[in-house]
Amino acid sequence: MRVHWMLQELGLAYDFKPIGARTGETQTAAYKKLNPKGKIPTLQHGALVLTESPAILTYLAETFDPPAGFYAPTDPVGRARVNEWCYFVSMELDAHTLYVIRRHDALSEIYGTAPDAVASAKEYYLKQLNAVAGRVDAAGTYLFGDAFSTADILFMTVLDWGRNYGIALPAVLTDYQQRVGKRPAYHRAFGLNYSDRTIAEVR
Ligand SMILES: N[C@@H](CCC(=O)N[C@@H](CS)C(=O)NCC(=O)O)C(=O)O
């Protein structure tokens, strides 16, 4: 979803090869040649083969001309501010909370049950969101004011994911979701990535 969304924001033409998680498609020898971790997404651009969604988004933002209204800073402070969100989303929200919930709840047949870890991950997820809610509110339309960025793509996807788990988000963040959810590129990416589901089902 993240990579589709970024490519759609940039208006780039690309080939999409759907590889389903846990369908076995990520574990074939051919796929593991590209991504030995056996995970999606993987981006191929010329000779470059790149994994890890925040790295892919950053690469795309720095490689292609950003459209009007897209924030892709090149100065150290601006890049650091965008990276701050990228690492926050990857570590505090993806890794420490949402993947813990996913592994030990929906995927507990594979990873085992751990109800205390799931409950504490949900609590920690909300704690982290509450910690940034004031900043999101003060920022304006997007995380960097009127300009949209890779940070918004990453942050929006973890908000959708949490809400999909039935976690009630702070009002400031549901308002943010409403605003970001109006972007046409979000809808196009959604249709490509979740061809079998509606936005209401995923969010
Ligand atoms: N840190 C990686 C996480 C990638 C990841 O966990 N992908 C999941 C799907 S969202 C996956 O490939 N699962 C397949 C599997 O575990 O077999 C990123 O952000 O790109």
Side-chain angles (χ1 to χ4, degrees):
M1 175 65 194
R2 293 170 176 177
V3 178
H4 274 305
W5 188 358
M6 183 64 185
L7 289 163
Q8 293 293 326
E9 291 284 351
L10 294 174
L12 295 171
Y14 59 97
D15 289 330
F16 167 35
K17 302 210 168 100
I19 304 271
R22 284 167 306 283
T23 56
E25 290 169 338
T26 53
Q27 305 304 317
T28 64
Y31 188 71
K32 280 187 145 181
K33 249 190 190 172
L34 292 174
N35 183 352
K37 292 173 276 189
K39 299 209 113 187
I40 48 171
T42 299
L43 177 84
Q44 278 185 280
H45 180 223
L48 177 72
V49 177
L50 193 61
T51 64
E52 300 301 329
S53 54
I56 295 173
L57 266 52
T58 304
Y59 170 75
L60 292 171
E62 293 181 355
T63 303
F64 296 95
D65 284 340
F70 197 99
Y71 182 59
T74 51
D75 64 297
V77 172
R79 292 180 72 206
R81 287 285 174 218
V82 174
N83 280 335
E84 185 179 29
W85 277 105
C86 290
Y87 292 121
F88 173 67
V89 166
S90 315
M91 284 307 299
E92 303 303 329
L93 301 173
D94 270 4
H96 285 170
T97 64
L98 292 165
Y99 274 110
V100 172
I101 301 169
R102 179 151 178 74
R103 282 171 175 251
H104 299 296
D105 199 343
L107 301 180
S108 61
E109 279 185 16
I110 308 171
Y111 297 106
T113 52
D116 288 350
V118 170
S120 121
K122 284 184 179 165
E123 211 176 289
Y124 188 74
Y125 172 79
L126 270 178
K127 184 178 174 192
Q128 293 304 308
L129 291 187
N130 280 315
V132 297
R135 233 170 111 178
V136 176
D137 198 22
T141 311
Y142 303 119
L143 296 177
F144 291 94
D146 290 339
F148 187 75
S149 71
T150 53
D152 291 290
I153 294 180
L154 293 168
F155 191 52
M156 177 71 167
T157 54
V158 288
L159 296 181
D160 280 355
W161 191 356
R163 199 157 80 171
N164 189 27
Y165 283 160
I167 302 174
L169 305 181
V172 162
L173 300 184
T174 53
D175 291 350
Y176 169 87
Q177 273 187 309
Q178 293 295 323
R179 294 194 295 277
V180 176
K182 290 191 180 128
R183 293 186 73 83
Y186 172 81
H187 289 267
R188 289 197 298 274
F190 203 98
L192 288 162
N193 197 54
Y194 303 110
S195 52
D196 55 337
R197 284 184 277 172
T198 64
I199 289 190
E201 282 170 326
V202 173
R203 288 172 65 184

PDB file of all heavy atoms in Angstrom, residues 2 21-22 26-27 38-41 52-54 94 99 111, ligand 1:
ATOM      1  N   ARG A   2       1.918   1.262   0.862  1.00  0.00           N
ATOM      2  CA  ARG A   2       2.768   2.450   0.972  1.00  0.00           C
ATOM      3  C   ARG A   2       3.470   2.765  -0.353  1.00  0.00           C
ATOM      4  O   ARG A   2       3.514   3.926  -0.781  1.00  0.00           O
ATOM      5  CB  ARG A   2       3.827   2.220   2.055  1.00  0.00           C
ATOM      6  CG  ARG A   2       3.240   2.133   3.444  1.00  0.00           C
ATOM      7  CD  ARG A   2       4.263   1.662   4.460  1.00  0.00           C
ATOM      8  NE  ARG A   2       3.682   1.676   5.794  1.00  0.00           N
ATOM      9  CZ  ARG A   2       4.323   1.264   6.884  1.00  0.00           C
ATOM     10  NH1 ARG A   2       5.541   0.796   6.800  1.00  0.00           N
ATOM     11  NH2 ARG A   2       3.728   1.316   8.066  1.00  0.00           N
ATOM     12  N   ALA A  21       1.394 -11.994   0.737  1.00  0.00           N
ATOM     13  CA  ALA A  21       2.044 -12.412   1.992  1.00  0.00           C
ATOM     14  C   ALA A  21       1.467 -13.758   2.418  1.00  0.00           C
ATOM     15  O   ALA A  21       0.270 -13.991   2.298  1.00  0.00           O
ATOM     16  CB  ALA A  21       1.806 -11.367   3.077  1.00  0.00           C
ATOM     17  N   ARG A  22       2.326 -14.619   2.888  1.00  0.00           N
ATOM     18  CA  ARG A  22       1.943 -15.950   3.395  1.00  0.00           C
ATOM     19  C   ARG A  22       1.160 -16.806   2.378  1.00  0.00           C
ATOM     20  O   ARG A  22       0.361 -17.637   2.753  1.00  0.00           O
ATOM     21  CB  ARG A  22       1.159 -15.848   4.708  1.00  0.00           C
ATOM     22  CG  ARG A  22       2.053 -15.536   5.896  1.00  0.00           C
ATOM     23  CD  ARG A  22       1.267 -15.133   7.085  1.00  0.00           C
ATOM     24  NE  ARG A  22       0.381 -14.032   6.759  1.00  0.00           N
ATOM     25  CZ  ARG A  22       0.778 -12.780   6.634  1.00  0.00           C
ATOM     26  NH1 ARG A  22       2.027 -12.459   6.857  1.00  0.00           N
ATOM     27  NH2 ARG A  22      -0.064 -11.828   6.302  1.00  0.00           N
ATOM     28  N   THR A  26       6.198 -15.314  -1.481  1.00  0.00           N
ATOM     29  CA  THR A  26       7.372 -14.574  -0.985  1.00  0.00           C
ATOM     30  C   THR A  26       8.534 -15.518  -0.680  1.00  0.00           C
ATOM     31  O   THR A  26       9.631 -15.072  -0.381  1.00  0.00           O
ATOM     32  CB  THR A  26       7.036 -13.824   0.327  1.00  0.00           C
ATOM     33  OG1 THR A  26       6.480 -14.759   1.256  1.00  0.00           O
ATOM     34  CG2 THR A  26       6.079 -12.683   0.108  1.00  0.00           C
ATOM     35  N   GLN A  27       8.270 -16.824  -0.759  1.00  0.00           N
ATOM     36  CA  GLN A  27       9.288 -17.796  -0.344  1.00  0.00           C
ATOM     37  C   GLN A  27       9.902 -18.563  -1.522  1.00  0.00           C
ATOM     38  O   GLN A  27      10.690 -19.479  -1.320  1.00  0.00           O
ATOM     39  CB  GLN A  27       8.680 -18.800   0.655  1.00  0.00           C
ATOM     40  CG  GLN A  27       8.026 -18.149   1.868  1.00  0.00           C
ATOM     41  CD  GLN A  27       8.974 -17.232   2.635  1.00  0.00           C
ATOM     42  OE1 GLN A  27      10.139 -17.588   2.856  1.00  0.00           O
ATOM     43  NE2 GLN A  27       8.502 -16.044   3.008  1.00  0.00           N
ATOM     44  N   GLY A  38      12.379 -12.586   2.139  1.00  0.00           N
ATOM     45  CA  GLY A  38      11.108 -13.221   1.799  1.00  0.00           C
ATOM     46  C   GLY A  38       9.910 -12.400   2.221  1.00  0.00           C
ATOM     47  O   GLY A  38       8.901 -12.932   2.680  1.00  0.00           O
ATOM     48  N   LYS A  39      10.019 -11.080   2.055  1.00  0.00           N
ATOM     49  CA  LYS A  39       8.919 -10.203   2.464  1.00  0.00           C
ATOM     50  C   LYS A  39       8.579  -9.228   1.353  1.00  0.00           C
ATOM     51  O   LYS A  39       9.395  -8.984   0.452  1.00  0.00           O
ATOM     52  CB  LYS A  39       9.329  -9.421   3.710  1.00  0.00           C
ATOM     53  CG  LYS A  39       9.647 -10.327   4.889  1.00  0.00           C
ATOM     54  CD  LYS A  39       9.381  -9.659   6.181  1.00  0.00           C
ATOM     55  CE  LYS A  39       8.251 -10.314   6.890  1.00  0.00           C
ATOM     56  NZ  LYS A  39       7.857  -9.587   8.066  1.00  0.00           N
ATOM     57  N   ILE A  40       7.408  -8.667   1.414  1.00  0.00           N
ATOM     58  CA  ILE A  40       7.028  -7.605   0.499  1.00  0.00           C
ATOM     59  C   ILE A  40       6.980  -6.302   1.301  1.00  0.00           C
ATOM     60  O   ILE A  40       6.728  -6.359   2.518  1.00  0.00           O
ATOM     61  CB  ILE A  40       5.665  -7.893  -0.174  1.00  0.00           C
ATOM     62  CG1 ILE A  40       4.626  -8.325   0.874  1.00  0.00           C
ATOM     63  CG2 ILE A  40       5.800  -8.926  -1.260  1.00  0.00           C
ATOM     64  CD1 ILE A  40       3.216  -8.430   0.354  1.00  0.00           C
ATOM     65  N   PRO A  41       7.212  -5.162   0.678  1.00  0.00           N
ATOM     66  CA  PRO A  41       7.428  -4.936  -0.753  1.00  0.00           C
ATOM     67  C   PRO A  41       8.906  -5.018  -1.153  1.00  0.00           C
ATOM     68  O   PRO A  41       9.794  -4.909  -0.315  1.00  0.00           O
ATOM     69  CB  PRO A  41       6.936  -3.505  -0.924  1.00  0.00           C
ATOM     70  CG  PRO A  41       7.318  -2.829   0.365  1.00  0.00           C
ATOM     71  CD  PRO A  41       7.141  -3.892   1.426  1.00  0.00           C
ATOM     72  N   GLU A  52      12.252  -2.696   2.265  1.00  0.00           N
ATOM     73  CA  GLU A  52      11.913  -1.860   3.433  1.00  0.00           C
ATOM     74  C   GLU A  52      11.145  -0.615   2.970  1.00  0.00           C
ATOM     75  O   GLU A  52      11.702   0.308   2.374  1.00  0.00           O
ATOM     76  CB  GLU A  52      13.140  -1.457   4.271  1.00  0.00           C
ATOM     77  CG  GLU A  52      13.919  -2.645   4.833  1.00  0.00           C
ATOM     78  CD  GLU A  52      13.070  -3.562   5.734  1.00  0.00           C
ATOM     79  OE1 GLU A  52      12.140  -3.061   6.406  1.00  0.00           O
ATOM     80  OE2 GLU A  52      13.317  -4.776   5.742  1.00  0.00           O
ATOM     81  N   SER A  53       9.860  -0.603   3.297  1.00  0.00           N
ATOM     82  CA  SER A  53       8.986   0.438   2.755  1.00  0.00           C
ATOM     83  C   SER A  53       9.464   1.877   3.038  1.00  0.00           C
ATOM     84  O   SER A  53       9.422   2.704   2.116  1.00  0.00           O
ATOM     85  CB  SER A  53       7.545   0.223   3.222  1.00  0.00           C
ATOM     86  OG  SER A  53       7.461   0.125   4.621  1.00  0.00           O
ATOM     87  N   PRO A  54       9.959   2.223   4.243  1.00  0.00           N
ATOM     88  CA  PRO A  54      10.389   3.618   4.419  1.00  0.00           C
ATOM     89  C   PRO A  54      11.589   3.969   3.529  1.00  0.00           C
ATOM     90  O   PRO A  54      11.682   5.087   3.015  1.00  0.00           O
ATOM     91  CB  PRO A  54      10.770   3.700   5.910  1.00  0.00           C
ATOM     92  CG  PRO A  54      10.056   2.558   6.553  1.00  0.00           C
ATOM     93  CD  PRO A  54      10.025   1.470   5.522  1.00  0.00           C
ATOM     94  N   ASP A  94       5.081   0.362  13.814  1.00  0.00           N
ATOM     95  CA  ASP A  94       5.139  -0.922  13.088  1.00  0.00           C
ATOM     96  C   ASP A  94       5.689  -2.030  13.998  1.00  0.00           C
ATOM     97  O   ASP A  94       5.034  -3.023  14.274  1.00  0.00           O
ATOM     98  CB  ASP A  94       6.120  -0.833  11.913  1.00  0.00           C
ATOM     99  CG  ASP A  94       5.492  -0.369  10.605  1.00  0.00           C
ATOM    100  OD1 ASP A  94       4.308  -0.035  10.599  1.00  0.00           O
ATOM    101  OD2 ASP A  94       6.202  -0.351   9.593  1.00  0.00           O
ATOM    102  N   TYR A  99       2.959  -4.956  14.685  1.00  0.00           N
ATOM    103  CA  TYR A  99       3.384  -6.316  14.323  1.00  0.00           C
ATOM    104  C   TYR A  99       3.261  -7.275  15.502  1.00  0.00           C
ATOM    105  O   TYR A  99       3.022  -8.463  15.317  1.00  0.00           O
ATOM    106  CB  TYR A  99       4.807  -6.327  13.739  1.00  0.00           C
ATOM    107  CG  TYR A  99       4.799  -6.063  12.248  1.00  0.00           C
ATOM    108  CD1 TYR A  99       5.287  -4.884  11.731  1.00  0.00           C
ATOM    109  CD2 TYR A  99       4.257  -6.999  11.370  1.00  0.00           C
ATOM    110  CE1 TYR A  99       5.249  -4.623  10.368  1.00  0.00           C
ATOM    111  CE2 TYR A  99       4.220  -6.754  10.000  1.00  0.00           C
ATOM    112  CZ  TYR A  99       4.719  -5.569   9.511  1.00  0.00           C
ATOM    113  OH  TYR A  99       4.675  -5.324   8.163  1.00  0.00           O
ATOM    114  N   TYR A 111       2.751 -17.765  15.146  1.00  0.00           N
ATOM    115  CA  TYR A 111       3.714 -17.160  16.078  1.00  0.00           C
ATOM    116  C   TYR A 111       3.403 -17.411  17.555  1.00  0.00           C
ATOM    117  O   TYR A 111       4.169 -16.986  18.420  1.00  0.00           O
ATOM    118  CB  TYR A 111       3.798 -15.650  15.822  1.00  0.00           C
ATOM    119  CG  TYR A 111       4.326 -15.322  14.435  1.00  0.00           C
ATOM    120  CD1 TYR A 111       3.487 -14.860  13.423  1.00  0.00           C
ATOM    121  CD2 TYR A 111       5.672 -15.525  14.129  1.00  0.00           C
ATOM    122  CE1 TYR A 111       3.971 -14.586  12.150  1.00  0.00           C
ATOM    123  CE2 TYR A 111       6.166 -15.249  12.856  1.00  0.00           C
ATOM    124  CZ  TYR A 111       5.309 -14.776  11.876  1.00  0.00           C
ATOM    125  OH  TYR A 111       5.790 -14.520  10.625  1.00  0.00           O
TER     126      TYR A 111
HETATM  127  N1  LIG B   1       9.914  -3.734   7.517  1.00  0.00           N
HETATM  128  C1  LIG B   1       9.259  -4.180   6.330  1.00  0.00           C
HETATM  129  C2  LIG B   1       8.125  -5.075   6.725  1.00  0.00           C
HETATM  130  C3  LIG B   1       7.639  -5.845   5.570  1.00  0.00           C
HETATM  131  C4  LIG B   1       6.601  -6.865   5.975  1.00  0.00           C
HETATM  132  O1  LIG B   1       6.527  -7.307   7.132  1.00  0.00           O
HETATM  133  N2  LIG B   1       5.788  -7.291   5.018  1.00  0.00           N
HETATM  134  C5  LIG B   1       4.792  -8.298   5.260  1.00  0.00           C
HETATM  135  C6  LIG B   1       3.492  -7.902   4.588  1.00  0.00           C
HETATM  136  S1  LIG B   1       2.914  -6.347   5.106  1.00  0.00           S
HETATM  137  C7  LIG B   1       5.229  -9.577   4.603  1.00  0.00           C
HETATM  138  O2  LIG B   1       5.936  -9.562   3.618  1.00  0.00           O
HETATM  139  N3  LIG B   1       4.809 -10.704   5.102  1.00  0.00           N
HETATM  140  C8  LIG B   1       5.057 -11.921   4.396  1.00  0.00           C
HETATM  141  C9  LIG B   1       5.489 -13.012   5.217  1.00  0.00           C
HETATM  142  O3  LIG B   1       5.785 -12.761   6.404  1.00  0.00           O
HETATM  143  O4  LIG B   1       5.544 -14.090   4.645  1.00  0.00           O
HETATM  144  C10 LIG B   1       8.771  -2.990   5.479  1.00  0.00           C
HETATM  145  O5  LIG B   1       8.352  -1.976   6.053  1.00  0.00           O
HETATM  146  O6  LIG B   1       8.837  -3.053   4.252  1.00  0.00           O
END
